Amino acid sequence: MHRQDLHNALKMLEEQGLRRRRRTLESPQGAHVLVDGKPYIAFASNDYLGLAGHQELIEATQKAVLEWGVGGGASHLVSGHFGAHERLEAALAGFVGQEDALLFSNGYMANLGVVTALVGRGDAIFADKLNHASLNDACVLSRAEFRRFPHNDMDALARQLETTPAKTKLIVADAVYSMDGDVAPIHELVALADRYDAWLLLDDAHGFGVLGPHGRGTLLAFEVSSPRVIYMATLGKAAGVSGAFVAGSAELIEWLVQRARTYIYTTSQPPMLAATLLKSLELIERDDWRRERLQASISQLKAGLAGLKWRLLPSETAIQPLIIGDNGDALRVTEGLRDLGLWVPAIRPPTVAPGTARLRISVSAAHVPDDIDKLCVALQQLAR
């Protein structure tokens, strides 16, 4: 874009209700936050278990920074791989039932590193149309043939797999979809990967810590196992800290160490965060009550929004999307909630399809029943 076109392009975004603005938190992440100097009940965070400001994680970080310092200093393959990283990778692999795991700085880099390390020209990728942007960008940058199938349409995926001439095939899908909150058909995806000799990359950013026994993720929730599965999850959502990891067979992880450019050519995650994440794993496994409270809040929200003129999508996860439709209307509703001390983000195109602008209500174990009641009452009031 030419420099002189920026002004008009920004003006057009404003007119279409698509211009985004950052809000500044002046408190730790949590169910109750201070934003731009005003207190809010927040339904805007992916801190699903309420761990981002947990005292035990704060204490673990304080201890770790004294032991490891602040920065990683170099890439993992030069001099930036610390004992804290090594221990966390082993713990993560065991936690999700895989042979080995590899840390990345964030989920975007993890997805990009995996896809581009496994496929290239002459190969083929098959992706759900509602996949996260990081997966889509990874597919494009891989230079493999990039084919998309309708959301959760396993028949369409099977037809694409059956007709491709590519030798190396990769299926990519979110395990829990970030804007709709629904869960992918895991059994069917694994069965198709096995049948057509394809890799399956599952992005469990929104399932890790929340789904499965003791929060061990979507694969264990569905009790599936296959050497073709590549499991990715992020550590800045339910885990409450930062980073991401990829887990799978030991051979797969070794290949990523050798060929995942977003792992090789970047400074390692600060080791103090890796040490903190070991404590986070303990809390995720130990505190089943967090997932129980989360599910209770989700049920309370659904009951409180029954009969509303806007449609709440049928999600059983912490992501509860309320479809408003028009971009301007979605902004007006979110501003109305903000005036009432409730922070719920309006999600608009291109993140979601045109005509499906929505409130993305994120429920956390940190919410109490009164928080949910206040949101339901406010939405009922604004819907009149």
Side-chain angles (χ1 to χ4, degrees):
M1 179 182 288
H2 193 276
R3 181 176 59 86
Q4 294 178 344
D5 295 329
L6 287 176
H7 174 78
N8 291 334
L10 287 170
K11 184 178 179 182
M12 183 175 294
L13 287 177
E14 188 76 43
E15 292 170 350
Q16 294 172 341
L18 295 178
R19 188 166 180 175
R20 289 155 172 78
R21 290 176 172 81
R22 296 182 296 176
R23 305 286 176 178
T24 303
L25 270 74
E26 298 167 355
S27 66
Q29 191 65 260
H32 295 253
V33 296
L34 193 66
V35 183
D36 296 330
K38 182 178 176 181
Y40 291 94
I41 302 171
F43 294 89
S45 170
N46 296 322
D47 180 27
Y48 300 130
L49 298 182
L51 295 180
H54 195 284
Q55 186 61 33
E56 289 189 48
L57 295 191
I58 294 170
E59 292 171 0
T61 305
Q62 291 171 333
K63 180 181 177 182
V65 75
L66 294 175
E67 180 178 3
W68 299 107
V70 178
S75 66
H76 283 275
L77 295 182
V78 176
S79 66
H81 191 65
F82 290 75
H85 297 132
E86 187 77 10
R87 287 194 286 276
L88 178 59
E89 288 175 342
L92 287 167
F95 191 75
V96 298
Q98 300 295 312
E99 286 184 0
D100 206 351
L102 189 67
L103 277 173
F104 285 81
S105 296
N106 55 58
Y108 205 108
M109 294 176 72
N111 282 335
L112 184 57
V114 170
V115 173
T116 56
L118 288 178
V119 295
R121 287 192 177 95
D123 301 325
I125 300 172
F126 307 88
D128 191 290
K129 281 195 173 181
L130 294 190
N131 277 350
H132 189 266
S134 62
L135 285 171
N136 292 333
D137 288 356
C139 294
V140 171
L141 291 171
S142 74
R143 302 180 182 177
E145 180 188 8
F146 180 24
R147 302 179 67 179
R148 303 173 78 186
F149 55 89
H151 181 49
N152 284 345
D153 188 336
M154 296 297 97
D155 290 336
L157 172 58
R159 288 192 295 270
Q160 291 180 356
L161 288 165
E162 190 172 347
T163 57
T164 182
K167 180 180 179 181
T168 301
K169 299 175 281 291
L170 172 65
I171 305 166
V172 294
D174 284 355
V176 176
Y177 286 88
S178 61
M179 291 300 133
D180 283 33
D182 59 330
V183 180
I186 304 296
H187 286 124
E188 292 88 340
L189 285 167
V190 173
L192 286 173
D194 286 339
R195 185 190 311 169
Y196 292 102
D197 189 22
W199 290 105
L200 170 61
L201 171 58
L202 283 176
D203 181 335
D204 202 23
H206 300 276
F208 177 78
V210 178
L211 301 180
H214 304 299
R216 293 175 184 267
T218 305
L219 286 180
L220 292 175
F222 283 82
E223 298 181 332
V224 296
S225 178
S226 170
R228 303 178 190 281
V229 172
I230 307 160
Y231 180 86
M232 193 287 288
T234 54
L235 300 167
K237 298 180 175 64
V241 188
S242 181
F245 71 99
V246 176
S249 69
E251 195 169 54
L252 167 72
I253 297 305
E254 179 60 22
W255 179 251
L256 295 180
V257 170
Q258 303 301 322
R259 286 294 183 266
R261 294 170 66 85
T262 54
Y263 176 81
I264 298 167
Y265 298 110
T266 192
T267 300
S268 68
Q269 179 194 61
M272 66 176 182
L273 296 183
T276 302
L277 281 160
L278 283 168
K279 174 58 69 173
S280 179
L281 277 184
E282 287 182 28
L283 297 179
I284 290 171
E285 183 173 19
R286 183 188 76 194
D287 294 350
D288 281 330
W289 65 264
R290 295 181 185 276
R291 283 171 288 278
E292 293 166 4
R293 178 182 288 181
L294 178 61
Q295 288 304 315
S297 292
I298 292 168
S299 298
Q300 181 186 352
L301 179 74
K302 286 174 171 289
L305 297 184
L308 204 64
K309 71 175 182 179
W310 301 304
R311 181 169 62 100
L312 190 67
L313 291 185
S315 165
E316 300 301 323
T317 69
I319 301 164
Q320 294 291 311
L322 187 65
I323 305 299
I324 305 297
D326 179 75
N327 297 334
D329 289 344
L331 286 173
R332 282 187 286 274
V333 175
T334 199
E335 289 295 339
L337 289 171
R338 192 172 289 123
D339 291 340
L340 296 171
L342 296 153
W343 186 18
V344 186
I347 306 298
R348 294 151 286 154
T351 305
V352 295
T356 69
R358 66 197 63 187
L359 301 188
R360 184 187 184 274
I361 303 170
S362 293
V363 185
S364 169
H367 289 123
V368 297
D370 187 57
D371 297 333
I372 306 296
D373 280 341
K374 286 179 179 176
L375 176 61
C376 293
V377 169
L379 283 169
Q380 294 285 358
Q381 177 182 328
L382 292 169
R384 292 174 189 155

